[in-house]
Amino acid sequence: MTYKEALEYIHGLYWRGKKNGLEKTKELLELCGHPENGLRFVHIAGTNGKGSCAAMLASVCQSAGLKTGLYTSPYIVRYNERILVNGEEIPDGRLAALTEYLAEFVEKMEVPPSEFEFGTVLAFLYFQEQQCDIVILETGLGGTFDSTNVIQNPLLCIITTLGLDHTKQLGNTITEIAQAKAGIIKRGAPVVFYGETKEGEAVIRSRCEELSVPLVLPDFKEIVPERIGTPAMPGEQGKEENCQQFSYKQWQHITLALCGLYQQKNAALVLEAAELLRTKGLGISSEAMRKGLRTVHWQARLEVLRNNPLLLVDGSHNPQGMRATVESLRQYFPERKLQFIFGVMADKEPEALAELFLPLAKKVYVTAPAVPRAMKAEELLALCERLVPEPGRTEFVLCPTVESALAASAEEAPDEVIAAVGSLYLAGEIKKAATR
């Protein structure tokens, strides 16, 4: 297979053989010799923040000299982003070769795997081939029936924030969602949980007690913010003044390269996790923890794509995520109205998302990502005009495509700040268009 043929094959699996459960992943792993055996995993689930936590912990492990695999979803620009070793994407040639190899086993299956199930097994093959010392493994959806949950003996489990997202699949209450996420907890693997939801904590604590595993909750009251930094282009992000800084418990004056005040809580979660990994015999020094957080990069989380005018891209696609984004924007740009590029999936509470950011908006480029699930731009415009808190004080511009919205925003004055929000699909299209 060529790389293009491999991607067509992988994406073509999406519509075939969808079924809730782990049976197909287990069957494919059995057919290809269980590449997951022998790998050491940290398993991460949660509603928001799991990708950021995964990226931070992977950066810490890599800084400690461990060959580190990182499996995340969804991708923003290229499929290869989902499978990294020491921060490098799986090469096109290896992706194609492993797809061709796995496709032969798929033909032996009565019901083929889904795209995500196939990708998970492919990632395990690549991590085994690369002889990774540790793999940071992010769930795709939920936990119990997520295809990543085929692993047997993780070193550690992390559960990040819990919120009402994917309710059709996971349930309509925090308790139900926590039960789905708690499905990754295994006997012998300590759990680090974000907390801050009583119902969720009751579920996670009960599961940990049932399996006799330690539960650690960060004490966010111990976070002492010291500098919020300034959002900057990736090449400038390593500069001390552009990073945020905070102290947490014994970790004093930690520099964090990611924007967003909410990332300080995620970083506290990662510090607690790294401390537990030390007790498992992994040689993660305090300096490795510091370096990992100081050098981490993660796409589409208040990521700067352009200066003059400043363009920030954030994949916040549920109310919990949007609330955190808006709070950070208020901190970075106090007492200031901003411009937004807004596009959203029709099934992702567009009303709630719009209500959260519109009080900050003086101008909104309303658009629609080029995917079937996206809300039509005309419908989204009508919704925004209905919800805007001060009619007549916010200008709306209808843009038929994301690329046209990006082009129009580039004509704004150099001192303007523009935030693209509402969907990871929107973030992906903007990043593609911005790099052409």
Side-chain angles (χ1 to χ4, degrees), residues 76-77 297 299 303 305 313 426-435:
I76 305 299
V77 179
H297 174 67
Q299 293 193 87
E303 181 184 11
L305 295 187
V313 176
L426 174 75
E429 288 190 34
I430 283 183
K431 288 203 69 170
K432 286 179 185 176
T435 54

Side-chain angles (χ1 to χ4, degrees), residues 76-270:
I76 305 299
V77 179
R78 300 182 79 234
Y79 184 90
N80 307 48
E81 297 164 16
R82 295 184 54 203
I83 304 170
L84 307 180
V85 172
N86 281 356
E88 297 293 328
E89 296 177 5
I90 179 174
D92 293 355
R94 292 313 302 149
L95 181 69
L98 290 173
T99 299
E100 185 172 2
Y101 171 73
L102 272 183
E104 294 182 14
F105 297 112
V106 170
E107 296 307 311
K108 299 176 183 178
M109 299 173 67
E110 185 176 344
V111 179
S114 68
E115 175 179 347
F116 189 81
E117 290 165 330
F118 184 92
T120 300
V121 177
L122 191 152
F124 290 162
L125 280 168
Y126 185 62
F127 296 144
Q128 180 198 53
E129 177 184 281
Q130 291 295 304
Q131 299 181 316
C132 289
D133 297 313
I134 191 168
V135 173
I136 314 302
L137 185 68
E138 180 196 359
T139 59
L141 177 64
T144 304
F145 296 112
D146 187 82
S147 68
T148 62
N149 205 32
V150 294
I151 63 170
Q152 297 299 311
N153 301 299
L155 294 172
L156 176 71
C157 295
I158 300 174
I159 299 177
T160 63
T161 58
L162 299 178
L164 297 177
D165 198 8
H166 301 294
T167 53
K168 184 177 179 181
Q169 297 90 348
L170 303 179
N172 294 304
T173 67
I174 292 295
T175 296
E176 290 175 310
I177 287 171
Q179 287 168 343
K181 311 293 186 185
I184 70 168
I185 299 173
K186 306 288 193 305
R187 196 177 299 277
V191 176
V192 184
F193 173 47
Y194 189 96
E196 295 203 327
T197 58
K198 289 182 180 179
E199 306 97 317
E201 183 178 338
V203 171
I204 304 301
R205 191 173 292 281
S206 175
R207 180 64 174 163
C208 288
E209 289 173 355
E210 179 187 341
L211 296 177
S212 300
V213 297
L215 172 63
V216 175
L217 275 76
D219 184 356
F220 294 137
K221 292 178 183 177
E222 293 280 342
I223 294 176
V224 180
E226 295 166 352
R227 184 179 64 236
I228 67 169
T230 305
M233 291 287 285
E236 304 168 335
Q237 191 63 60
K239 293 182 179 178
E240 197 76 8
E241 64 270 20
N242 292 328
C243 297
Q244 55 182 316
Q245 185 174 286
F246 68 99
S247 290
Y248 174 68
K249 293 186 176 179
Q250 72 268 32
W251 296 283
Q252 296 295 301
H253 314 306
I254 293 290
T255 298
L256 178 61
L258 299 182
C259 292
L261 298 184
Y262 58 89
Q263 296 289 15
Q264 292 185 10
K265 290 185 175 181
N266 289 332
L269 201 69
V270 168

Side-chain angles (χ1 to χ4, degrees), residues 388-406:
V388 68
E390 296 180 84
R393 297 246 180 136
T394 302
E395 179 185 353
F396 293 99
V397 180
L398 182 65
C399 299
T401 65
V402 171
E403 194 163 350
S404 65
L406 178 65

